Amino acid sequence: MKRLRLLASVFLAAIPLSHGMAASPKSLLNVSYDPTRELYKDINTQFAVAWKQQGGDDVTVKTSHGGSGAQARSVLDGLQADVVTLGIASDIDALASKGLIATGWADRLPNHSVPYTSTIVFLVRHGNPKGLHDWSDLVHDGVQVITPNPKTSSGGRWSYIAAYLWALNQPNGDEAKAEAYLKLLYQHVPILDTGARGATNSFVQRGAGDVLLAWEDEALLAAHDLGAGQFDIVYPSSSVKAEPPVAVVDAVVKTRGTQKLAEAYLRFLYTPEGQEIEARHHYRPIDPAVAARHRAEFPELKTYDVESIGGWKVLQPKHFGDGGIFDTIYTAGK
C-alpha cells in the first residue's frame, strides 16, 4: 500500500495539483449515480489526504447519489456540482447540450473519461431456485425480474441494452425480434425503481422478485457484504461493457473557482491508488497492473460494446426518449 501511495503521489505531482491551491479550505460536490456511495466515500477521503500531502489546503468532497438520469436533471435544474460521475455518457451529453460542460468532454481524460468499467449480471437467491442461467430463462412463466427504470437509471438502461444485445445476436436475430424479447421481458418486471440502489433494496431487503438485473459491482456488494450466503451471482452467456464516465462541470467550477481542484479530483481516479480503491469496491479497473492483481474477482465474460449498435447518441433517443421503444414496449406490456 505504501508503494501504491508513493506511485499516486508521483502521478499527482505530474499533474497540476498545486495550481488549484488556495489560502482557504476548499470543497467540491460530486454528483454521482446510485451504487457509488461506498466507492466515493473512500475516494473522497484518500483524495483529501493526497491533496494535503502535495501541500494543498484541507479539502472536503461532498457526494450526491441517485438515479443517473435524475441526477443529471438535478444539475440541469441548478444543483451546483463541480464534477459529475454518472452512469452513462448520454447523461453527461445532456449537460453538455445545455452549455454546462464543454463539448468534447470525453477527450479531456484518459480512456474517454471512463476511469473504470462494469457489466450487467444476474443476482439470484442462494441456490438459484428458479434455475436462471441466461437471458432466455428470464421470460419463463412465473419468473419475476427486478430492474430499475431505464428512463431514470443508468443501471436500468445498461440492463435493457444488455438484454437487447443478447437478443439481437441470437441466430437469425434482428431488431424486431430483439424488441419482441424486450417486450416479453418487461412483462416479467413487477416494479420499476428509479435507481439501481432502490432496485437492490427491493430485491435484497424486501424480498421482491426472483432475479435482480444488476451492475456487477452492486451484485458483488450485495452477495459479499449486504447478504453473505443469501445470494448467488450468475454470469449470462453475454452482457454489455458498461462504461460510466466522469466530467468537470465547467460552468460551475468557473463560478466557484474550483476548476483545478475538480480536475485533480477526477485525475485521482486514474492513479494506482484510485484504481486500487475502485477494484476493492468491485469496479473493473483500467490500469493493467491493478486489473491483474484483481483478475480472479472479475470473471471473463463475452460483452458487446454499445458502439456496435450506434452508441448512446443513437440509442438514447431511439430507445429511451419520449415515445421511444421503451415507452412502446412497457406500455404494451402492462
Side-chain angles (χ1 to χ4, degrees):
M1 182 57 71
K2 289 182 178 179
R3 181 173 179 271
L4 287 172
R5 288 180 176 170
L6 177 60
L7 289 172
S9 298
V10 171
F11 186 93
L12 286 168
I15 61 178
L17 193 64
S18 61
H19 292 181
M21 297 173 187
S24 59
K26 291 282 190 178
S27 66
L28 292 176
L29 175 60
N30 172 8
V31 172
S32 192
Y33 61 108
D34 231 2
T36 58
R37 288 173 172 80
E38 295 79 10
L39 168 65
Y40 281 109
K41 183 178 180 181
D42 277 0
I43 287 285
N44 296 347
T45 299
Q46 294 306 316
F47 170 71
V49 171
W51 179 261
K52 190 82 172 178
Q53 287 175 342
Q54 291 298 304
D57 295 312
D58 291 331
V59 58
T60 301
V61 183
K62 299 178 180 178
T63 311
S64 170
H65 298 275
S68 184
Q71 291 291 81
R73 171 53 57 186
S74 295
V75 176
L76 282 172
D77 290 343
L79 182 61
Q80 294 292 288
D82 299 279
V83 302
V84 287
T85 56
L86 298 178
I88 214 161
S90 56
D91 288 334
I92 297 182
D93 286 337
L95 303 180
S97 71
K98 299 298 183 183
L100 293 177
I101 295 175
T103 57
W105 61 267
D107 298 325
R108 291 162 64 177
L109 288 166
N111 196 41
H112 304 293
S113 294
V114 176
Y116 49 81
T117 68
S118 189
T119 189
I120 297 297
V121 300
F122 302 168
L123 186 71
V124 299
R125 311 215 178 270
H126 182 57
N128 195 4
K130 291 291 181 76
L132 307 175
H133 300 288
D134 209 351
W135 295 98
S136 58
D137 298 323
L138 304 186
V139 295
H140 289 170
D141 289 346
V143 174
Q144 288 196 326
V145 180
I146 304 300
T147 184
N149 189 337
K151 301 278 281 190
T152 55
S153 164
S154 59
R157 269 171 283 176
W158 286 115
S159 295
Y160 172 106
I161 292 297
Y164 179 77
L165 282 165
W166 170 82
L168 193 64
N169 285 280
Q170 293 308 291
N172 302 313
D174 57 26
E175 288 194 12
K177 291 176 181 175
E179 291 172 19
Y181 169 75
L182 286 173
K183 179 179 177 180
L184 184 57
L185 175 65
Y186 279 89
Q187 289 174 354
H188 288 256
V189 178
I191 54 174
L192 285 173
D193 289 287
T194 57
R197 183 54 59 89
T200 300
N201 289 340
S202 291
F203 183 76
V204 171
Q205 296 182 351
R206 293 193 286 276
D210 302 297
V211 55
L212 172 69
L213 304 185
W215 291 92
E216 181 185 44
D217 48 88
E218 188 78 346
L220 287 165
L221 175 71
H224 294 172
D225 303 325
L226 300 179
Q230 299 180 44
F231 306 100
D232 295 336
I233 296 175
V234 174
Y235 285 81
S237 61
S238 73
S239 191
V240 65
K241 183 180 182 182
E243 299 178 291
V246 300
V248 171
V249 183
D250 299 292
V252 172
V253 298
K254 288 177 181 175
T255 301
R256 298 191 66 235
T258 52
Q259 181 171 354
K260 296 301 181 183
L261 182 62
E263 291 173 353
Y265 175 72
L266 292 187
R267 287 192 176 276
F268 181 76
L269 300 175
Y270 293 86
T271 65
E273 184 174 13
Q275 292 280 292
E276 188 67 31
I277 294 169
E278 290 149 26
R280 287 205 306 268
H281 284 277
H282 315 304
Y283 296 84
R284 297 189 177 219
I286 62 168
D287 182 300
V290 180
R293 284 197 292 275
H294 292 271
R295 183 167 294 130
E297 302 165 35
F298 302 109
E300 290 191 10
L301 172 69
K302 180 179 180 58
T303 57
Y304 296 103
D305 193 306
V306 294
E307 294 302 320
S308 66
I309 50 174
W312 285 111
K313 290 186 185 303
V314 172
L315 297 177
Q316 177 64 31
K318 179 178 179 180
H319 288 269
F320 309 111
D322 291 341
I325 293 171
F326 175 74
D327 282 347
T328 302
I329 64 169
Y330 189 64
T331 299
K334 283 182 177 178

